[in-house]
Amino acid sequence: MKPLKWTARTYQNSWCGLGGAAALCMALTIPQAHAVDVDAGDYTALPAGTNLAMLYYQYATRDALYAKGHKTPGDMRLDSQVGILRGVHFTEIGGYIVDPQFLLPFGRLEGKDDLSALGSTSGVGDLILAATVWLVNRPQTGTYFGITPFIYAPTGNYDNDDALNLGENRWKFALQAGFITKLSDRVSLDLAGDITLYGKNDKFGAAKVTMKQKPSMQFQGYLRYHISDAWDLRAGVSHTFGGETEIAGVNQGDRLRTTKVSIGTGWFIAPDVQLLASYGRDISVHNGFRENDRLNLRVLKVF
């Protein structure tokens, strides 16, 4: 069998993840586009009336493309620089803490080496609306459990003639559950799981064919060691699977099965300002790009 030769057009019509590679590479950090990533501590409920303003910066390099567990020939590289504006308001509804919020991603994607023909793109990604409802809220023991629906609106920059896009030209819905508990005075455990449902993109590629996608799921876990009340060290692992695509009625056989790890730290430099930094990479990829480096930075302001 001859090695598969990848071109910009071949890639665009063979793996749907490119169209959304920034859109939740970005969130919640965006996040591959098929995951709803969380930061450790995100499922901590705050008092009603609290507001949060957050700014994220995410830099990622992808150095290999995999198909059915095998690395495709050539030097594949796709870099992204993504920012996210996020606003959160905590309120009380029916005795439960709820936090309606929005996330607006923006940034730049660039193909390099054998993917340099893809060029680059920059602009705004798809708007994300969400709200967590905390069913368990026990700050005295550090135990929380919440459920979050996410709606992704197709508001971002999208051109079907471009191989790289920040928007996905489709609606998406995700439902996530998150749990936090203290294992000891110094150690906390964070767990999260989600499922994402995808609308169709009826203007995929130059021929404007229809692209559909099966649901994907992700499970995440973090351990945090609290050096003090204001400073912690954290390590995490996540696994994403599912999300096989169909383009113009043809199943692509590109079911995801990706595992990644990360390490980082969170530090309240003031009572109302937190800085967060983490580094991560993929350790196992079945289909799609492998991230060999990812740097996440976040500044959070409480008011």
Side-chain angles (χ1 to χ4, degrees), residues 24 76 97 101 105 203 207 246 272 289 291:
L24 228 327
M76 308 291 174
I97 294 294
Q101 57 186 284
K203 294 182 179 179
E246 176 188 297
D272 58 350
F289 272 115
E291 283 191 353

Side-chain angles (χ1 to χ4, degrees), residues 98-110:
V98 182
D99 73 340
Q101 57 186 284
F102 75 89
L103 300 95
L104 181 63
F106 58 93
R108 175 181 173 84
L109 278 169
E110 182 177 7

Side-chain angles (χ1 to χ4, degrees), residues 20-287:
L24 228 327
C25 246
M26 301 179 171
L28 299 158
T29 86
I30 189 121
Q32 311 291 49
H34 311 274
V36 185
D37 288 343
V38 300
D39 290 313
D42 275 2
Y43 271 89
T44 302
L46 298 180
T50 303
N51 297 294
L52 303 178
M54 285 172 271
L55 177 63
Y56 296 77
Y57 172 76
Q58 302 171 344
Y59 173 74
T61 63
R62 303 159 187 84
D63 66 346
L65 184 63
Y66 283 79
K68 300 186 184 304
H70 300 287
K71 182 181 177 182
T72 62
D75 297 319
M76 308 291 174
R77 181 169 174 180
L78 180 67
D79 292 356
S80 64
Q81 297 189 65
V82 171
I84 302 172
L85 293 174
R86 183 180 185 182
V88 184
H89 173 69
F90 289 81
T91 187
E92 185 175 332
I93 301 176
Y96 295 97
I97 294 294
V98 182
D99 73 340
Q101 57 186 284
F102 75 89
L103 300 95
L104 181 63
F106 58 93
R108 175 181 173 84
L109 278 169
E110 182 177 7
K112 295 183 177 180
D113 297 332
D114 288 354
L115 295 182
S116 59
L118 298 178
S120 63
T121 189
S122 59
V124 178
D126 293 337
L127 176 67
I128 305 167
L129 302 175
T132 300
V133 179
W134 274 272
L135 304 180
V136 177
N137 180 12
R138 300 172 187 162
Q140 66 276 13
T141 62
T143 303
Y144 305 92
F145 175 73
I147 296 177
T148 311
F150 294 83
I151 296 176
Y152 300 72
T155 60
N157 296 118
Y158 180 83
D159 188 330
N160 64 284
D161 288 323
D162 292 340
L164 298 175
N165 281 288
L166 288 165
E168 297 191 54
N169 191 46
R170 59 177 178 175
W171 291 87
K172 297 195 302 185
F173 173 79
L175 186 65
Q176 183 178 76
F179 174 74
I180 299 176
T181 192
K182 281 190 173 183
L183 301 180
S184 70
D185 288 341
R186 293 287 187 181
V187 179
S188 293
L189 172 69
D190 296 66
L191 299 173
D194 61 74
I195 181 169
T196 301
L197 306 178
Y198 302 88
K200 64 181 181 181
N201 177 356
D202 57 3
K203 294 182 179 179
F204 183 80
K208 295 185 178 181
V209 297
T210 296
M211 186 267 284
K212 299 179 181 179
Q213 187 169 6
K214 294 180 179 179
S216 65
M217 299 182 70
Q218 181 185 29
F219 296 100
Q220 304 170 71
Y222 290 91
L223 284 174
R224 284 181 288 160
Y225 179 76
H226 301 272
I227 298 174
S228 69
D229 290 341
W231 183 23
D232 72 72
L233 302 177
R234 55 194 56 196
V237 61
S238 78
H239 182 69
T240 303
F241 59 95
E244 190 173 16
T245 61
E246 176 188 297
I247 299 175
V250 179
N251 193 305
Q252 300 298 298
D254 55 357
R255 188 176 189 271
L256 295 172
R257 196 162 70 233
T258 302
T259 303
K260 62 182 179 182
V261 295
S262 65
I263 57 173
T265 183
W267 179 30
F268 274 94
I269 61 173
D272 58 350
V273 178
Q274 185 197 42
L275 301 180
L276 186 151
S278 65
Y279 170 81
R281 64 181 304 166
D282 292 339
I283 59 172
S284 176
V285 177
H286 188 68
N287 282 302

